[in-house]
Amino acid sequence: MHIAIPSKNRAGKCTTQKIIKDCTFYVSESEVHQYKQFYDNVVGMPKEVVGITKARNWILKNTTERYVVFIDDDVKTCGYSRLEERKTKKIEIRNEDFWNEEFLK
């Protein structure tokens, strides 16, 4: 499973990598040097790739992973709501182990 974070103009301001350590930022080639100052996994996309739809399609075409999960670059918490008999319960996910178990079943 590959966790891809398309990003633009937010070097040093992203928060997702604090929750999900094993992720890769995808940015324009012109921003790679800025992002590498703050994050370990950074991939540069050609300057022709403009817009979120084109970025996501480029990422899908340029990865060998079977599963790709796209996440915003400014996530502070993530989780889901579980419906119980009379109420809902918020389940907060604190690390990427949950996603690995969920997608690789």
Short mmCIF file of all heavy atoms in Angstrom, two decimals, residues 30 36 48 51 60-61 63 66-67 69 71 75 83 85 87 92-93 95 101 103:
data_model
loop_
_atom_site.label_atom_id
_atom_site.label_comp_id
_atom_site.label_asym_id
_atom_site.label_seq_id
_atom_site.Cartn_x
_atom_site.Cartn_y
_atom_site.Cartn_z
N SER A 30 9.69 21.92 -9.29
CA SER A 30 10.27 23.19 -8.84
C SER A 30 10.20 23.37 -7.32
O SER A 30 10.88 24.23 -6.77
CB SER A 30 9.56 24.36 -9.53
OG SER A 30 8.19 24.39 -9.17
N LYS A 36 12.06 18.89 0.60
CA LYS A 36 13.08 17.99 1.14
C LYS A 36 13.76 18.55 2.38
O LYS A 36 14.36 17.82 3.15
CB LYS A 36 14.11 17.64 0.07
CG LYS A 36 13.57 16.65 -0.92
CD LYS A 36 14.68 15.96 -1.66
CE LYS A 36 14.07 14.93 -2.57
NZ LYS A 36 14.66 13.64 -2.44
N GLU A 48 4.22 19.97 -16.24
CA GLU A 48 3.00 19.85 -17.03
C GLU A 48 1.83 19.32 -16.19
O GLU A 48 0.67 19.45 -16.58
CB GLU A 48 3.19 18.92 -18.23
CG GLU A 48 4.21 19.39 -19.23
CD GLU A 48 5.65 19.08 -18.82
OE1 GLU A 48 5.87 18.11 -18.06
OE2 GLU A 48 6.54 19.82 -19.25
N GLY A 51 -2.89 20.80 -11.30
CA GLY A 51 -4.23 20.50 -10.79
C GLY A 51 -4.26 19.16 -10.08
O GLY A 51 -3.48 18.26 -10.37
N LEU A 60 -0.94 7.69 -9.88
CA LEU A 60 -1.41 6.34 -10.15
C LEU A 60 -0.63 5.68 -11.28
O LEU A 60 -0.34 4.48 -11.23
CB LEU A 60 -2.90 6.35 -10.48
CG LEU A 60 -3.84 6.66 -9.31
CD1 LEU A 60 -5.26 6.85 -9.82
CD2 LEU A 60 -3.77 5.56 -8.26
N LYS A 61 -0.30 6.45 -12.30
CA LYS A 61 0.44 5.90 -13.44
C LYS A 61 1.91 5.65 -13.14
O LYS A 61 2.57 4.88 -13.83
CB LYS A 61 0.33 6.85 -14.64
CG LYS A 61 -1.05 6.89 -15.25
CD LYS A 61 -1.11 7.90 -16.37
CE LYS A 61 -2.53 7.98 -16.89
NZ LYS A 61 -2.69 9.05 -17.89
N THR A 63 3.30 4.65 -10.07
CA THR A 63 3.60 3.81 -8.91
C THR A 63 3.35 2.36 -9.28
O THR A 63 2.51 2.07 -10.14
CB THR A 63 2.75 4.21 -7.68
OG1 THR A 63 3.18 3.44 -6.56
CG2 THR A 63 1.27 4.00 -7.91
N ARG A 66 -0.11 -1.77 -5.66
CA ARG A 66 -1.47 -2.19 -6.02
C ARG A 66 -2.52 -1.25 -5.41
O ARG A 66 -3.53 -0.95 -6.02
CB ARG A 66 -1.70 -3.61 -5.52
CG ARG A 66 -3.05 -4.14 -5.87
CD ARG A 66 -3.20 -5.58 -5.51
NE ARG A 66 -4.53 -6.02 -5.87
CZ ARG A 66 -5.01 -7.19 -5.55
NH1 ARG A 66 -4.29 -8.05 -4.88
NH2 ARG A 66 -6.23 -7.52 -5.90
N TYR A 67 -2.28 -0.81 -4.18
CA TYR A 67 -3.19 0.09 -3.48
C TYR A 67 -2.53 1.43 -3.26
O TYR A 67 -1.40 1.51 -2.77
CB TYR A 67 -3.60 -0.49 -2.12
CG TYR A 67 -4.29 -1.82 -2.22
CD1 TYR A 67 -3.63 -2.99 -1.90
CD2 TYR A 67 -5.62 -1.91 -2.63
CE1 TYR A 67 -4.26 -4.22 -1.99
CE2 TYR A 67 -6.26 -3.13 -2.72
CZ TYR A 67 -5.57 -4.28 -2.40
OH TYR A 67 -6.20 -5.48 -2.49
N VAL A 69 -3.46 5.19 -1.49
CA VAL A 69 -4.39 5.98 -0.69
C VAL A 69 -3.94 7.43 -0.78
O VAL A 69 -2.79 7.74 -0.51
CB VAL A 69 -4.39 5.52 0.79
CG1 VAL A 69 -5.29 6.39 1.64
CG2 VAL A 69 -4.79 4.06 0.89
N ILE A 71 -4.21 11.23 0.63
CA ILE A 71 -4.56 11.94 1.85
C ILE A 71 -4.14 13.39 1.70
O ILE A 71 -3.10 13.69 1.10
CB ILE A 71 -3.88 11.31 3.08
CG1 ILE A 71 -4.32 9.85 3.23
CG2 ILE A 71 -4.20 12.08 4.35
CD1 ILE A 71 -3.72 9.14 4.41
N VAL A 75 -3.78 17.11 7.35
CA VAL A 75 -4.55 16.31 8.30
C VAL A 75 -3.93 16.44 9.69
O VAL A 75 -2.71 16.35 9.85
CB VAL A 75 -4.56 14.83 7.85
CG1 VAL A 75 -5.17 13.95 8.92
CG2 VAL A 75 -5.31 14.69 6.55
N LEU A 83 -21.21 3.26 14.04
CA LEU A 83 -22.59 3.33 14.46
C LEU A 83 -22.89 2.20 15.44
O LEU A 83 -22.70 1.03 15.11
CB LEU A 83 -23.53 3.25 13.26
CG LEU A 83 -23.39 4.36 12.23
CD1 LEU A 83 -24.28 4.06 11.03
CD2 LEU A 83 -23.74 5.69 12.83
N GLU A 85 -25.80 0.84 18.60
CA GLU A 85 -27.26 0.71 18.66
C GLU A 85 -27.97 2.05 18.89
O GLU A 85 -28.93 2.36 18.21
CB GLU A 85 -27.65 -0.27 19.77
CG GLU A 85 -29.13 -0.60 19.74
CD GLU A 85 -29.48 -1.69 20.73
OE1 GLU A 85 -28.66 -2.60 20.91
OE2 GLU A 85 -30.57 -1.59 21.32
N LYS A 87 -26.08 5.19 19.55
CA LYS A 87 -25.19 6.35 19.43
C LYS A 87 -24.07 6.03 18.44
O LYS A 87 -23.94 4.91 17.96
CB LYS A 87 -24.60 6.71 20.79
CG LYS A 87 -23.77 5.61 21.40
CD LYS A 87 -23.23 5.99 22.75
CE LYS A 87 -22.44 4.82 23.34
NZ LYS A 87 -21.80 5.17 24.56
N GLU A 92 -10.54 7.28 16.74
CA GLU A 92 -9.41 8.06 16.22
C GLU A 92 -8.26 7.13 15.88
O GLU A 92 -7.92 6.23 16.64
CB GLU A 92 -8.95 9.07 17.27
CG GLU A 92 -7.94 10.05 16.74
CD GLU A 92 -7.63 11.17 17.71
OE1 GLU A 92 -8.58 11.70 18.32
OE2 GLU A 92 -6.45 11.49 17.86
N ILE A 93 -7.68 7.35 14.72
CA ILE A 93 -6.57 6.53 14.26
C ILE A 93 -5.28 7.31 14.50
O ILE A 93 -5.12 8.42 14.01
CB ILE A 93 -6.75 6.18 12.77
CG1 ILE A 93 -8.04 5.40 12.61
CG2 ILE A 93 -5.55 5.40 12.26
CD1 ILE A 93 -8.50 5.28 11.21
N ASN A 95 -1.99 5.95 14.04
CA ASN A 95 -0.84 5.60 13.22
C ASN A 95 -1.28 4.81 11.99
O ASN A 95 -2.43 4.41 11.87
CB ASN A 95 0.22 4.84 14.02
CG ASN A 95 -0.30 3.52 14.54
OD1 ASN A 95 -0.90 2.75 13.81
ND2 ASN A 95 -0.08 3.26 15.81
N GLU A 101 -3.68 -2.70 7.94
CA GLU A 101 -4.57 -3.82 8.23
C GLU A 101 -5.85 -3.73 7.41
O GLU A 101 -6.33 -4.72 6.89
CB GLU A 101 -4.91 -3.85 9.72
CG GLU A 101 -3.75 -4.22 10.60
CD GLU A 101 -4.06 -4.07 12.09
OE1 GLU A 101 -5.26 -3.99 12.44
OE2 GLU A 101 -3.12 -4.04 12.87
N PHE A 103 -6.46 -2.22 4.44
CA PHE A 103 -6.33 -2.38 3.00
C PHE A 103 -5.66 -3.68 2.57
O PHE A 103 -5.81 -4.11 1.46
CB PHE A 103 -5.57 -1.20 2.40
CG PHE A 103 -6.41 0.04 2.33
CD1 PHE A 103 -6.30 1.01 3.31
CD2 PHE A 103 -7.32 0.22 1.31
CE1 PHE A 103 -7.08 2.14 3.26
CE2 PHE A 103 -8.10 1.36 1.26
CZ PHE A 103 -7.98 2.32 2.23
#
